[in-house]
Amino acid sequence: MRFGLFGINMDVLATDPGAAVAVAVAAEEAGWDSVWTGEHYVLPDPWVQPSPAPPDLPMLDPFVALTNVAAHTSRLRVGTGVTVLPYHQPLVLAKQVASLDRVAGGRFEFGVGVGYLAQEFAALGVPMADRAARSTEYLDAIRAIWTQAPAAHDGRYVRFSGVAAEPRPVHPAGPPVHFGGGVPRTFRRAVTQGRGWFGFALDPAATERAVAGLRLAEREHPRPAELGPLEITVTPDPRLPIDDDTVAAYARLGVTRLVPLPPDRLDPDRIIAFVRAVATRHLD
């Protein structure tokens, strides 16, 4: 089991970016695999469901936060969990991803999703109804600008031709892509197009259902050999302790990377203590 830390751009790690660096360095030294960001640009005020957090939650832009910690580490992978594709102009997002991947020396993990928060879509002026189709095309356009010379894309939402953008990501096909979401078409995309799948705040029962969907997609759709084995990354239900029983339960389901939220996100010293305690118990 590999371990990543969720929320490197949130709470005190947003208001004190130096603390984020200290946590990331401690994670790297302790043998953790990665650190991950959430992404919300605005949150409903007052707090209403299904918003994941109150409106006063500090949250840095994921690409700024990850660039900060990537510049101070050398082995730790940095990931978005997840980037909401419809929120972004795809060529601008392609530039952000390629830039971060270069700063990180090819250590970026590109988690993507279609989004779910209606108030945020409305505030950003992005239609929510077609978010799945828009996300699919945006990712196609991003891959075009990374891999074609010159690049072109002619779709419903994005059209360009005769352009280039350098530098490209470190790896020719771009960074590993992890698809977030719990519906069959997401499982299919993870199997046929992605390095893996990302599930957020799932207990073992919910994880078992998602893994069953992924295994069904693997049986029904061939996985390109160049993608390698499917990675399954899960942020556990925050109410669960990261103890032997919890880790074993997810491992039995085929989870390859756990990305927990630290239990105390307001004190950098306690976050570092959590990172070291998990490493002592599960990584030594």
Side-chain angles (χ1 to χ4, degrees), residues 41-122:
Y41 291 97
V42 295
L43 291 167
D45 188 4
W47 188 5
V48 294
Q49 294 296 331
S51 177
D56 60 352
L57 172 72
M59 186 177 296
L60 286 182
D61 174 273
F63 295 96
V64 173
L66 293 178
T67 299
N68 178 43
V69 299
H72 292 86
T73 54
S74 60
R75 301 182 306 279
L76 193 73
R77 302 194 68 80
V78 295
T80 53
V82 296
T83 297
V84 182
L85 287 170
Y87 291 169
H88 298 269
Q89 203 289 331
L91 292 183
V92 175
L93 180 58
K95 174 62 73 173
Q96 291 174 300
V97 170
S99 299
L100 171 55
D101 193 56
R102 283 283 168 176
V103 171
R107 290 181 284 138
F108 181 54
E109 303 279 340
F110 191 20
V112 301
V114 303
Y116 65 91
L117 193 55
Q119 297 93 330
E120 191 170 20
F121 274 89

Side-chain angles (χ1 to χ4, degrees), residues 15-34:
T15 56
D16 183 357
V21 169
V23 167
V25 169
E28 181 170 79
E29 291 174 347
W32 284 59
D33 167 78
S34 50

Side-chain angles (χ1 to χ4, degrees), residues 200-211:
F200 183 75
L202 302 182
D203 62 18
T207 301
E208 185 173 18
R209 292 191 292 271
V211 171

Side-chain angles (χ1 to χ4, degrees), residues 6-18:
F6 194 86
I8 198 68
N9 67 326
M10 297 163 56
D11 293 294
V12 69
L13 306 185
T15 56
D16 183 357

